[in-house]
Amino acid sequence: MEWVIIPVLYGIGMIISGSTLWLSAKITRDELPYYMALIIAVVSGIVRLLPYFGFILSAITILAMLDKLCDIDWFPHGIFLMIVNIIVNICLVVGFSGICG
């Protein structure tokens, strides 16, 4: 039964990641449709599964997809969007841990 739970939780994590990316784009006033944020989150989540370099390649994938698909320049807007995304994720984790105890 664990083999079913892990992909479901990973899928939920990708949906949350796409939502925080979309919310970060709203905060930075960049044009990023929700479906594109979800596609970027899914592709970068799959790349993140690669061993050793997955985290770095995932960040590069996000910047490349923002530049090519969404016309958001990777520098400085894409990097600023990723920094805001990290801050939003930290705020969500702190908020949920405060709610859950």
Side-chain angles (χ1 to χ4, degrees):
M1 195 60 166
E2 292 94 20
W3 59 273
V4 175
I5 294 173
I6 292 173
V8 168
L9 290 178
Y10 200 72
I12 291 171
M14 286 186 198
I15 291 171
I16 292 171
S17 179
S19 299
T20 58
L21 184 63
W22 176 78
L23 182 64
S24 300
K26 291 295 178 188
I27 291 171
T28 59
R29 296 186 179 145
D30 288 321
E31 288 293 325
L32 181 63
Y34 182 73
Y35 68 92
M36 290 303 285
L38 191 59
I39 290 171
I40 291 171
V42 167
V43 171
S44 69
I46 292 169
V47 171
R48 195 177 304 135
L49 290 174
L50 295 172
Y52 305 116
F53 302 109
F55 182 76
I56 296 168
L57 290 176
S58 173
I60 293 170
T61 302
I62 291 172
L63 289 174
M65 290 183 77
L66 284 173
D67 189 29
K68 298 297 180 189
L69 298 177
C70 303
D71 295 328
I72 296 174
D73 295 330
W74 71 272
F75 184 80
H77 297 288
I79 294 175
F80 184 63
L81 180 65
M82 289 180 65
I83 291 170
V84 171
N85 192 21
I86 291 170
I87 293 170
V88 168
N89 284 332
I90 291 171
C91 291
L92 281 176
V93 167
V94 169
F96 282 132
S97 65
I99 291 171
C100 295

